[in-house]
Amino acid sequence: MIISDPNLVQSNNIPAYLSQKNVQLAKNVRKKISEDLSCHLTLQQLSEEFHASPTSIKTAFKSVYGETIGEYLKSFRLQEAQRLLQDTDWHILEIAELVGYSNPGHFAVAFREKYKMTPSEYRKSIRSKGK
């Protein structure tokens, strides 16, 4: 079975169709990398686990999700950090580690790039709205 949807592909001359096998591969990779954000899986490890070449994994993932594995993971980590900042009282350093940032400075820079404020500013803004 072939999936044909021009909206699945955004660039790099990747064909707008994928076999069901490649769609499932991309979904499996997404599930695996989203399970434990503090775990830093390599493309080689994913390749061995899913019995697919690194190129096949990268191509399938980008074709299905419209972004690279790294781009997806960064965005997902920051969304999870945002949720934790909002829903918990955990220390910001703890949250950074939980979502896969071993360097708190890198976490703060990435968070600010995406949300236009630091993690502590974000938490303060959420709490001031709740009062």
Side-chain angles (χ1 to χ4, degrees):
M1 175 179 203
I2 301 291
I3 294 181
S4 180
D5 182 353
N7 296 323
L8 290 177
V9 179
Q10 294 183 357
S11 63
N12 295 338
N13 298 322
I14 300 169
Y17 58 86
L18 287 173
S19 68
Q20 188 62 37
K21 179 182 173 186
N22 283 338
V23 171
Q24 192 58 50
L25 173 63
K27 288 179 179 181
N28 290 342
V29 168
R30 179 176 177 249
K31 182 178 184 222
K32 180 70 177 177
I33 64 174
S34 301
E35 286 175 346
D36 182 0
L37 295 177
S38 65
C39 181
H40 294 273
L41 295 170
T42 66
L43 192 53
Q44 185 60 40
Q45 289 168 319
L46 293 170
S47 177
E48 289 168 9
E49 180 162 344
F50 295 109
H51 308 288
S53 74
T55 301
S56 295
I57 291 172
K58 290 189 299 187
T59 301
F61 195 93
K62 182 148 186 173
S63 295
V64 172
Y65 295 107
E67 58 189 348
T68 66
I69 293 171
E71 291 166 341
Y72 168 81
L73 200 48
K74 181 178 181 180
S75 180
F76 189 75
R77 282 182 167 134
L78 292 173
Q79 287 172 13
E80 181 64 9
Q82 181 186 33
R83 185 190 68 76
L84 292 170
L85 287 165
Q86 183 176 328
D87 296 345
T88 72
D89 289 326
W90 297 343
H91 194 279
I92 291 171
L93 295 176
E94 221 178 341
I95 291 171
E97 286 182 19
L98 282 171
V99 299
Y101 283 89
S102 57
N103 182 321
H106 290 163
F107 170 64
V109 167
F111 194 92
R112 183 179 206 131
E113 281 177 4
K114 181 164 179 128
Y115 297 110
K116 309 300 183 224
M117 61 181 78
T118 65
S120 58
E121 290 169 342
Y122 177 78
R123 183 174 263 170
K124 285 178 189 174
S125 75
I126 292 298
R127 292 198 173 149
S128 67
K129 289 178 185 177
K131 291 182 179 180

